[in-house]
Amino acid sequence: MLSQVQRFGGAMFTPVLLFPFAGIVVGISILLQNPTFVGEALTAPDSLFAQIVHVIGDGGWTVFRNMALVFAVGLPIGLANKAQARACLAVLVSFLAWNYFINVMGTTWGGFFGVDFSLEPTAGSGLTMIAGIKTLDTSIIGGIVISGIVTALHNRYFDKQMPVFLGIFQGSSFVVMVAFLVMIPCAWLTLLGWPKVQMGIESLQTFLRTAGSLGVWVYTFLERILIPTGLHHFVYGPFMFGPAAVEGGIQVYWANHLLEFSQTTTPLKTLFPEGGFGLFGNSKMFGTPGIALALYYTAAPENRKKSPGYLSLRY
């Protein structure tokens, strides 16, 4: 079981590795739209340079604006046992079907679920747009869960042999057929349970945001302690890529306001305190003394007195 969870953690890196390039493109485009950096003439709306930069910069937002879809399609690369490309296709179709089911059920029976699908998919509405579909805002969690379900179906049914006259339906076609049926109850359960889950998640995230040093400690502790299981992605993911700290995620917010931040002398601590949740990697520094102590006590007795000198150079 633990190995499967760790495998999932490794699979999460496939979509995450797309963010550095996308971030660089967005960052450079924002920098090139800064009149302080390139001059007023080049940043004028009618400037060809500004228009080209705008086009390229907008393309750089592709990954950030479709993170749920990116995570859904990217996970099978690491989780599917075979035919990973076909698994990605099956997940894509099933994920879209799931969102269509949510849209139709929510529009038809929204009163029963307590969800108002007549609202615009804006911040705070609980709704979002995915591939042109108005659906519940499950952030990257929905994409990860549906991807995991469909990938499991792919691993189980991809090699299932069908009668000769039904041969056209075996392989990926059969996986998609099974997943299509599974997505119906998944959509129902999502509408039934996600609003409540969302309230619970928001309560925890509110605590982490507002509890000061204690909240930061709990956030960092959970992110670190869950690394062996791969579940730490669920701790920092909603903050970095979801709306836990700021709408759209810390990475998107940072890129959006980079120009503003670059033109002021006000400390970032004042301008963007939520950005501190993006510094969880710094917690690794606090583990260094523990690592050094472990190496010291596991060294051979005759070499133990020598190890502090080595460790001081190493760390």
Side-chain angles (χ1 to χ4, degrees), residues 148-255:
I149 292 172
V150 178
T151 303
L153 294 174
H154 168 86
N155 290 338
R156 181 169 183 177
Y157 294 113
F158 181 75
D159 289 329
K160 183 176 178 60
Q161 295 298 313
M162 305 289 286
V164 176
F165 66 94
L166 293 177
I168 192 174
F169 294 115
Q170 68 184 26
S172 295
S173 297
F174 186 70
V175 173
V176 171
M177 288 165 56
V178 174
F180 180 87
L181 298 176
V182 172
M183 290 303 104
I184 297 174
C186 282
W188 178 273
L189 292 173
T190 302
L191 281 163
L192 197 62
W194 181 254
K196 301 177 182 63
V197 172
Q198 206 167 30
M199 286 190 290
I201 292 174
E202 287 175 357
S203 297
L204 174 60
Q205 292 169 348
T206 300
F207 165 75
L208 295 177
R209 286 197 309 269
T210 60
S213 299
L214 177 61
V216 173
W217 183 86
V218 172
Y219 169 80
T220 306
F221 175 77
L222 290 175
E223 194 277 332
R224 291 284 99 189
I225 199 69
L226 292 175
I227 283 179
T229 68
L231 297 178
H232 63 298
H233 300 289
F234 287 105
V235 177
Y236 76 81
F239 282 82
M240 296 301 296
F241 312 124
V246 289
E247 186 61 31
I250 290 173
Q251 281 202 349
V252 172
Y253 188 92
W254 171 260

Side-chain angles (χ1 to χ4, degrees), residues 45-281:
D46 58 348
S47 165
L48 178 61
F49 176 82
Q51 293 167 354
I52 292 174
V53 170
H54 173 70
V55 169
I56 295 174
D58 216 46
W61 286 102
T62 303
V63 174
F64 297 116
R65 290 173 179 167
N66 298 278
M67 284 192 289
L69 188 59
V70 169
F71 273 93
V73 176
L75 287 182
I77 297 174
L79 295 179
N81 294 333
K82 60 179 67 176
Q84 287 86 352
R86 291 175 179 265
C88 291
L89 179 61
V91 168
L92 172 62
V93 174
S94 304
F95 180 68
L96 294 177
W98 175 66
N99 281 292
Y100 271 117
F101 286 139
I102 289 176
N103 175 275
V104 175
M105 291 179 184
T107 303
T108 307
W109 302 306
F112 173 78
F113 295 112
V115 180
D116 186 1
F117 263 74
S118 65
L119 297 175
E120 289 298 316
T122 55
S125 67
L127 304 175
T128 189
M129 296 293 293
I130 294 179
I133 310 165
K134 184 191 287 188
T135 183
L136 284 181
D137 186 4
T138 57
S139 188
I140 63 172
I141 296 176
I144 291 170
V145 171
I146 295 302
S147 182
I149 292 172
V150 178
T151 303
L153 294 174
H154 168 86
N155 290 338
R156 181 169 183 177
Y157 294 113
F158 181 75
D159 289 329
K160 183 176 178 60
Q161 295 298 313
M162 305 289 286
V164 176
F165 66 94
L166 293 177
I168 192 174
F169 294 115
Q170 68 184 26
S172 295
S173 297
F174 186 70
V175 173
V176 171
M177 288 165 56
V178 174
F180 180 87
L181 298 176
V182 172
M183 290 303 104
I184 297 174
C186 282
W188 178 273
L189 292 173
T190 302
L191 281 163
L192 197 62
W194 181 254
K196 301 177 182 63
V197 172
Q198 206 167 30
M199 286 190 290
I201 292 174
E202 287 175 357
S203 297
L204 174 60
Q205 292 169 348
T206 300
F207 165 75
L208 295 177
R209 286 197 309 269
T210 60
S213 299
L214 177 61
V216 173
W217 183 86
V218 172
Y219 169 80
T220 306
F221 175 77
L222 290 175
E223 194 277 332
R224 291 284 99 189
I225 199 69
L226 292 175
I227 283 179
T229 68
L231 297 178
H232 63 298
H233 300 289
F234 287 105
V235 177
Y236 76 81
F239 282 82
M240 296 301 296
F241 312 124
V246 289
E247 186 61 31
I250 290 173
Q251 281 202 349
V252 172
Y253 188 92
W254 171 260
N256 270 332
H257 295 79
L258 190 59
L259 181 60
E260 173 190 338
F261 295 154
S262 68
Q263 295 178 333
T264 179
T265 57
T266 305
L268 275 175
K269 182 180 179 181
T270 303
L271 288 173
F272 186 30
E274 298 87 353
F277 285 102
L279 302 177
F280 55 86

